[in-house]
Amino acid sequence: MPAPRTVLLTGAAGGLGTLMRSLLPEYGYTLRLFDMRPVEGEPDAITADLGDRQALREAVRGVDAVLHLAGISLEAPFEKILKANIEGTYNLYEAAREEGVPRIVFASSNHAVGFTPAPRAGEPLIPVDTPRRPDTFYGLSKSFGEDLAQLYWDKHGLETVSVRIGSCFPEPTGVRMLSVWMSPADGARLFHAALTAEGVGHTVVHGSSANTRLWWDLTSARALGYEPRDDSEPYAEKLIAEQGELDPENPAHSHLGGHFVNDPPIWPY
Ligand code: NAI
Ligand code: 15L
């Protein structure tokens, strides 16, 4: 596959989409933007819902790849998750198949496997083939997305890298995040690797920086050419002083998915 140049960025108005709009052009991409909300300062962005199959078909036409970030990004009532994340992701894959788009990079999440116990000191890192253990309807939708990606590779030859993102924010804001944080710059490095690596078929990778307190294995991400450069450790002293060490008896501290394992739905809209 020739290196992709024109990439459809769904979820362009969101937190991660905003970070990637500023970081990915440095890698030479031309971004076409898509979101149900207007993208500030971007009058050419496509404002449409993932439920609009015609808009999606036009949005993917002629692009070399899609970076699919759009969707509900926290726990929410099942009916909302069903529309945005399950049907919406299906609609995107159908549009990509119909228009011959060769690759999608799918924003999966640690919450697809959020009930996986966090490794204690000396235990092995969580492997990428750990059984799915979604911690929410949200995590379940990311499991669906990964299976959908596998189906479209096996049946239609449409490639996907499913990136199980840990926490991608400018800084880690909690003690758990010290283990799963992905700096925005490392996020751009990983997405670039996922967009350009040869012969990925459907590959699942963990998305984190090279954190000292890392919980999961980055081997499959590194195999794409990803070389993380950041580490959350400089934030550790301050966060632990403020919040204390993780308590192994607290389920929200002792599972990969953190508070998602026991929080009620929190999607604000
Ligand atoms: P966000 O909530 O800030 O952005 C999501 C964007 O998707 C929003 O701009 C929203 O308007 C758009 N969107 C939602 N439903 C839509 C629909 N039906 N049609 C069109 N657009 C729709 O979320 P964030 O943090 O930017 O995350 C981006 C993606 O990465 C999400 O899929 C999220 O699940 C995933 N992810 C993010 C992580 C993080 O640390 N930021 C961690 C793990 C996964
Ligand atoms: C996610 O999947 C969410 O989209 C993001 O907002 C964070 O909550 C992140 O996981 C996390 O686990 O920290």
Side-chain angles (χ1 to χ4, degrees):
M1 186 181 96
R5 282 291 156 242
T6 304
V7 173
L8 178 71
L9 176 66
T10 74
L16 197 46
T18 301
L19 291 166
M20 291 308 127
R21 276 191 284 128
S22 72
L23 291 168
L24 283 177
E26 289 168 28
Y27 291 85
Y29 298 109
T30 300
L31 299 178
R32 190 182 291 175
L33 310 178
F34 182 103
D35 202 293
M36 66 191 285
R37 298 184 292 154
V39 185
E40 211 181 318
E42 298 284 356
D44 293 338
I46 301 159
T47 306
D49 194 283
L50 291 169
D52 183 343
R53 295 177 71 167
Q54 190 53 37
L56 273 176
R57 185 116 187 224
E58 285 163 23
V60 301
R61 190 167 296 149
V63 299
D64 301 315
V66 180
L67 175 52
H68 180 42
L69 305 183
I72 292 177
S73 60
L74 298 169
E75 180 58 323
F78 182 74
E79 293 71 19
K80 288 184 188 291
I81 297 278
L82 179 64
K83 279 268 169 244
N85 291 16
I86 296 182
E87 291 180 9
T89 302
Y90 161 74
N91 290 338
L92 174 74
Y93 271 79
E94 267 301 279
R97 180 189 67 77
E98 286 168 340
E99 293 294 333
V101 177
R103 181 167 306 180
I104 294 176
V105 175
F106 170 57
S108 185
S109 170
N110 69 87
H111 300 291
V113 290
F115 263 111
T116 308
R120 297 189 185 208
E123 289 182 351
L125 298 177
I126 298 167
V128 80
D129 61 356
T130 194
R132 298 256 185 66
R133 299 184 72 171
D135 55 23
T136 41
F137 295 133
Y138 165 66
L140 187 64
S141 75
K142 296 300 185 180
S143 286
F144 170 84
E146 292 184 11
D147 280 345
L148 187 76
Q150 187 66 48
L151 174 66
Y152 274 69
W153 165 242
D154 287 333
K155 197 158 237 175
H156 305 299
L158 198 172
E159 293 192 311
T160 296
V161 177
S162 291
V163 182
R164 281 185 194 154
I165 304 167
S167 301
C168 190
F169 298 99
E171 290 186 5
T173 54
V175 179
R176 163 184 165 273
M177 269 199 208
L178 296 170
S179 296
V180 296
W181 184 59
M182 179 161 70
S183 71
D186 278 344
R189 286 181 192 106
L190 179 50
F191 290 139
H192 175 56
L195 287 164
T196 51
E198 293 288 336
V200 297
H202 176 226
T203 299
V204 180
V205 304
H206 290 151
S208 283
S209 288
N211 300 319
T212 300
R213 294 160 198 256
L214 197 66
W215 279 346
W216 55 15
D217 184 14
L218 296 181
T219 302
S220 65
R222 289 181 187 276
L224 300 177
Y226 171 55
E227 290 180 23
R229 294 198 196 149
D230 295 321
D231 183 342
S232 61
E233 205 52 22
Y235 301 94
E237 192 179 332
K238 179 168 178 283
L239 286 171
I240 292 168
E242 287 167 0
Q243 301 175 12
E245 293 278 2
L246 294 177
D247 171 7
E249 301 307 318
N250 180 345
H253 293 190
S254 60
H255 292 90
L256 178 62
H259 65 81
F260 282 55
V261 302
N262 53 12
D263 268 359
I266 48 177
W267 185 247
Y269 308 119

